[in-house]
Amino acid sequence: MMKIKPDPKTCKTHKFDFCSYTGRGARERKIWSKALKQYIDAKPLTLGFRCRRCGERVERIATASERKFHAKYIDAWRKTGKKTIATVWRDFAKRFKSKDGDSYRLVGWDLMCAVEKWRTKWPNDVRQVRIDDSHFCSSDLILVEHKAPNEYMGTTVVVVPQCSGESPLEFFMYPFHLNGLLNALQAIKKAAKPVEKRELKHKQLVDRLIKKNLRHPPVKP
Ligand SMILES: [Zn+2]
């Protein structure tokens, strides 16, 4: 049975669950933004909560003991070592994309070769899989993991066509997207098997018959 969510205005007894955090430290401060080349306001550690009954969200600044809890159980766990979930993708973008991140500096075969060289730096985070583009020319899927020692976000996939003249296209997969794609690929593979088997059997038959029937000079009737 579908539950009807109470209206946030009439939900008198909100039941808030912690759902997000942003910022850091006890109070607002100025930090230098490299990208914007100016000082910007940095939020103090701010916690977000969502009502499990009506979905209403609230945000508030963390208390001192909440900051301690956050540092011990969330921040320290995420920041094990220097690698964050963004490290490898940032390195990819720095190497192959324009400064604003909107376009690629290399395309097609040049990009495929350059990535092959670059990815030796990240053997556990980057995979390069061969596909064909719409012109049936060998092309690549580049799979870049967004993963830190203790944190997993997902995978960016870059489609690099070789001959169609199109720019590389990106899409992102969270783990549940991965499951959807895996299930689809497995179903395709399973359905293709009996067809491939029939095809092969027929080809073997035709090959045998060709040897017998199609000769030069011709076989006499
Ligand atoms: Zn509520």
Side-chain angles (χ1 to χ4, degrees), residues 8 11 13-16 51-56:
C11 178
T13 51
H14 290 308
K15 286 227 167 204
F16 286 112
C51 173
R52 73 177 74 153
R53 306 180 68 213
C54 71
E56 179 161 277

Side-chain angles (χ1 to χ4, degrees), residues 18 21-25 29 44-45 47 66-84 148-151:
F18 169 69
Y21 70 87
T22 174
R24 64 169 48 188
R29 68 213 184 284
L45 182 63
L47 307 180
E66 284 167 344
R67 279 201 311 278
K68 255 188 204 163
F69 174 89
H70 181 269
K72 188 171 173 188
Y73 291 102
I74 300 175
D75 235 18
W77 174 252
R78 289 186 62 207
K79 291 190 182 132
T80 306
K82 277 188 180 162
K83 195 164 153 250
T84 72
N150 290 323
E151 197 179 11

Side-chain angles (χ1 to χ4, degrees), residues 159-181:
V159 184
V160 185
Q162 189 193 167
C163 301
S164 65
E166 295 156 305
S167 294
L169 175 87
E170 296 159 14
F171 61 91
F172 188 82
M173 292 190 294
Y174 288 101
F176 70 95
H177 292 135
L178 213 60
N179 289 341
L181 189 59

